[in-house]
């Protein structure tokens, strides 16, 4: 629960009337009021009891009450089926249904109704969402309620920066078997000297920046989470042997420094529960602590099946909600939200924790140098600060090597210096 925002000891309470209380309405109200506005609410379908209440009132019905803030339902929250939903057409500014608008984004309605997939079987969209619609709508709702109910007071969220590192390799050269060393050397002759220095003469591995990262986390009070790939020797999974002594040694070091270890489920785990389950259990065993957070390798994620598989494997927090090839807000928000299952019309016990930017979007897909990437990341952080959101970055172990991503180690340092919590 530590990824959720916390409010005052005695939060404000509102009463909300709807003639029909649906699972969708309850779900979105929990998110808006408990998470977005840090307050409590009472959801009621008794009109007379609602009107008699002395609490600040929100009326979610086609009726209009003078002493309440009235929202005219669009119908989305009363449905119990999925259908093509033209967001721009149905969510008009006049009489805008803020509850339905937020539900559309955090339920990932578009992912449930879209059949478009990329080459890795991932949800694909041509629309890049760089706007924090959800936070902006919540802020607008807050201002309206404060204006209408003069005695109402809300707690304010505080901007928070969390650093996450996807560990796909652990090391560039170290702790890899002879056959992989030979194959790697033949494919990468320009780094043969560095490989030889690491393997035979004990020079520090180019990816071994764990002490640097941990010390920055402590110095600037920036939470750090490592997502470890725990499968190797496949086309898409190339880490070292999970049981290698050097891997165990690293996990022990992180445990001693109270750094969170999470799973980076392998490429095929999204369609193979046994694989996912075995990786979670082995990492929990080797790290000495139950692993409850994950982010899918290659962001391979099926909104209809992956959340249920993660829950079954003991995962409570999923950090997959974002883009690998571009920066932006996949769910229109930086605020964590629970996944919603349209097959059962129920909220799932899996918290999605969105990230805003991944390193590869800059140096692999946009051809940005480190200075350009830093400026865009700072712009992103400034925007998120303006709505008191959560800024999560994803950087890979390889990005700390100047050979692969020149200047990114220094970029990482500057982010901590400027965005410390």
């Amino acid at each position: 629960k530590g990824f959720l925002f916390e409010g005052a000891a005695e939060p404000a309470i509102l009463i909300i009337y709807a003639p029909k209380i649906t699972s969708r309405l309850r779900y979105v109200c929990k998110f808006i009021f408990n998470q977005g506005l840090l307050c409590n609410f009472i959801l009621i379908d008794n009109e007379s009891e609602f009107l008699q209440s002395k609490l600040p009132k929100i009326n979610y019905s086609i009726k209009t009450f003078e002493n309440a803030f009235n929202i005219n339902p669009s119908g989305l929250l009363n449905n119990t089926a999925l259908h093509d939903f033209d967001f721009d057409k149905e969510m008009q500014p006049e009489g805008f249904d803020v509850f339905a608008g937020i539900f559309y984004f955090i339920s990932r309605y578009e992912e449930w109704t879209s059949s478009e997939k990329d080459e890795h079987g991932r949800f694909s969209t041509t629309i890049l969402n760089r706007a924090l619609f959800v936070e902006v709508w919540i802020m607008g709702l807050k201002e309206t309620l404060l204006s209408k109910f003069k005695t109402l007071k809300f707690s304010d969220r505080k901007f928070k920066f969390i650093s996450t590192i996807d560990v796909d390799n652990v090391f560039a050269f170290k702790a890899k078997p002879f056959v992989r060393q030979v194959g790697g050397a033949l494919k990468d002759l320009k780094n043969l000297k560095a490989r030889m220095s690491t393997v035979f003469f004990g020079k520090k591995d180019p990816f071994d920046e764990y002490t640097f990262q941990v010390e920055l986390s402590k110095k600037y009070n920036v939470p750090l989470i490592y997502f470890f790939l725990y499968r190797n020797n496949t086309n898409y999974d190339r880490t070292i042997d999970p049981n290698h002594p050097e891997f165990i040694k690293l996990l022990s070091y992180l445990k001693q420094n109270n750094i969170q270890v999470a799973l980076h489920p392998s490429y095929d785990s999204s369609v193979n529960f046994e694989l996912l389950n075995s990786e979670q259990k082995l990492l929990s065993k080797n790290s000495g602590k139950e692993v409850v957070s994950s982010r899918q390798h290659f962001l391979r994620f099926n909104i209809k099946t992956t959340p249920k598989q993660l829950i079954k494997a003991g995962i409570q927090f999923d950090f997959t909600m974002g883009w690998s090839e571009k920066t932006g807000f996949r769910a229109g928000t930086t605020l964590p939200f629970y996944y919603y299952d349209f097959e059962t019309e129920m909220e799932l016990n899996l918290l999605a924790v969105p990230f805003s930017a991944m390193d590869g979007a800059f140096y692999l897909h946009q051809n940005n140098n480190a200075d350009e990437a830093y400026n865009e990341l700072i712009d992103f952080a400034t925007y998120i600060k303006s709505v008191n959101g959560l800024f999560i970055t994803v950087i890979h172990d390889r990005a700390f090597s100047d050979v692969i991503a020149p200047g990114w180690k220094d970029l990482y340092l500057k982010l901590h210096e400027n965005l410390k919590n």
Side-chain angles (χ1 to χ4, degrees):
K1 307 297 181 184
F3 302 113
L4 295 169
F5 288 88
E6 296 180 358
E10 296 184 6
I13 304 177
L14 299 99
I15 189 167
I16 304 166
Y17 167 71
K20 181 181 179 183
I21 298 175
T22 65
S23 178
R24 295 183 182 189
L25 177 60
R26 192 177 299 279
Y27 166 75
V28 77
C29 284
K30 282 177 63 178
F31 173 79
I32 293 171
F33 297 101
N34 295 161
Q35 172 71 329
L37 293 175
L38 304 179
C39 69
N40 291 326
F41 67 95
I42 299 170
L43 195 53
I44 192 170
D45 58 4
N46 186 307
E47 182 180 324
S48 61
E49 190 175 335
F50 171 74
L51 293 174
Q52 292 170 18
S53 174
K54 302 299 182 183
L55 294 172
K57 298 179 178 68
I58 297 177
N59 166 39
Y60 191 65
S61 75
I62 59 174
K63 293 184 178 182
T64 300
F65 300 127
E66 187 176 348
N67 62 340
F69 173 58
N70 298 285
I71 302 174
N72 189 23
S74 65
L76 180 62
L77 303 189
N78 285 329
N79 290 335
T80 54
L82 286 163
H83 60 88
D84 290 335
F85 186 82
D86 188 332
F87 182 84
D88 293 330
K89 180 180 179 181
E90 298 196 39
M91 306 300 293
Q92 295 298 323
E94 302 82 11
F96 175 59
D97 182 353
V98 65
F99 287 1
I102 292 174
F103 176 81
Y104 177 82
F105 277 102
I106 67 169
S107 69
R108 305 309 304 126
Y109 199 93
E110 59 181 329
E111 294 194 40
W112 276 86
T113 56
S114 173
S115 60
E116 296 295 322
K117 305 291 182 184
D118 70 4
E119 68 272 23
H120 297 291
R122 302 173 297 194
F123 167 68
S124 180
T125 179
T126 56
I127 301 171
L128 174 56
N129 184 12
R130 295 178 69 96
L132 287 170
F133 289 109
V134 171
E135 273 89 328
V136 170
W137 289 337
I138 288 176
M139 287 178 64
L141 177 62
K142 177 181 178 180
E143 291 168 3
T144 300
L145 292 173
L146 289 173
S147 175
K148 187 169 186 65
F149 305 106
K150 302 301 182 183
T151 60
L152 188 60
K153 292 183 179 180
F154 292 110
S155 299
D156 288 323
R157 296 190 311 271
K158 292 183 179 179
F159 168 83
K160 191 171 187 178
F161 170 38
I162 295 178
S163 169
T164 69
I165 297 178
D166 283 357
V167 185
D168 290 347
N169 305 277
V170 183
F171 303 114
F173 311 127
K174 185 178 175 180
K176 294 184 178 179
F178 179 74
V179 173
R180 285 187 64 182
Q181 294 288 4
V182 173
L186 293 174
K187 292 179 182 178
D188 187 23
L189 291 173
K190 66 179 181 179
N191 289 311
L192 180 60
K193 182 178 179 180
R195 183 183 295 271
M196 298 291 284
S197 297
T198 299
V199 174
F200 295 108
F201 300 104
K203 184 179 178 182
K204 190 176 80 165
D205 189 275
F207 293 1
D208 187 2
E209 294 292 347
Y210 302 104
T211 301
F212 165 74
Q213 295 152 5
V214 168
E215 291 305 315
L216 280 187
S217 172
K218 291 180 177 179
K219 182 176 180 180
Y220 295 107
N221 192 33
V222 174
L224 171 62
I225 308 172
Y226 287 101
F227 292 82
F228 285 102
L229 183 63
Y230 231 51
R231 189 185 185 205
N232 64 353
N233 295 330
T234 78
N235 288 336
Y236 294 104
D237 312 304
R238 305 295 294 169
T239 191
I240 66 173
D241 181 352
N243 290 311
H244 195 287
E246 290 293 339
F247 209 149
I248 303 294
K249 181 180 176 181
L250 173 58
L251 293 175
S252 177
Y253 166 74
L254 297 178
K255 183 180 180 182
Q256 291 169 11
N257 285 275
N258 297 313
I259 300 297
Q260 184 173 342
V261 168
L263 181 65
H264 199 32
S266 61
Y267 186 86
D268 292 321
S269 71
S270 64
V271 293
N272 185 331
F273 172 74
E274 295 305 323
L275 206 55
L276 169 66
N277 196 43
S278 64
E279 291 169 13
Q280 188 272 345
K281 282 181 165 47
L282 184 58
L283 180 55
S284 295
K285 175 186 173 184
N286 288 350
S287 65
K289 190 175 182 180
E290 188 71 12
V291 170
V292 296
S293 298
S294 70
R295 174 162 49 237
Q296 298 296 120
H297 191 34
F298 275 73
L299 303 186
R300 292 194 83 205
F301 185 93
N302 184 324
I303 192 68
K304 298 179 182 179
T305 58
T306 307
K308 296 172 189 175
Q309 298 282 61
L310 292 171
I311 292 169
K312 190 176 176 182
I315 299 299
Q316 300 173 25
F317 306 97
D318 173 65
F319 286 72
T320 308
M321 193 53 58
W323 304 115
S324 61
E325 299 179 0
K326 47 201 170 188
T327 54
F329 311 104
R330 180 166 169 175
T333 183
T334 69
L335 305 180
F337 57 91
Y338 286 97
Y339 283 112
Y340 191 83
D341 179 27
F342 282 99
E343 292 176 348
T344 60
E345 289 290 348
M346 291 177 61
E347 175 185 298
L348 296 176
N349 191 28
L350 180 67
L351 190 70
V353 188
F355 68 86
S356 302
M358 183 180 284
D359 55 354
F362 297 100
Y363 62 78
L364 290 178
H365 300 286
Q366 297 176 191
N367 293 317
N368 294 135
N369 62 38
D371 288 337
E372 292 169 334
Y374 174 76
N375 289 335
E376 185 169 339
L377 286 168
I378 289 297
D379 286 345
F380 252 58
T382 301
Y383 179 36
I384 294 169
K385 271 187 176 181
S386 71
V387 294
N388 295 321
L390 182 63
F391 181 52
I392 296 182
T393 56
V394 182
I395 298 180
H396 289 79
D397 48 6
R398 59 184 176 270
F400 293 88
S401 166
D402 272 340
V403 174
I404 296 174
W408 271 78
K409 181 179 178 180
D410 186 54
L411 177 155
Y412 189 76
L413 170 61
K414 290 193 295 182
L415 279 180
H416 282 67
E417 291 174 338
N418 287 288
L419 300 177
K420 55 190 174 185
N421 292 313

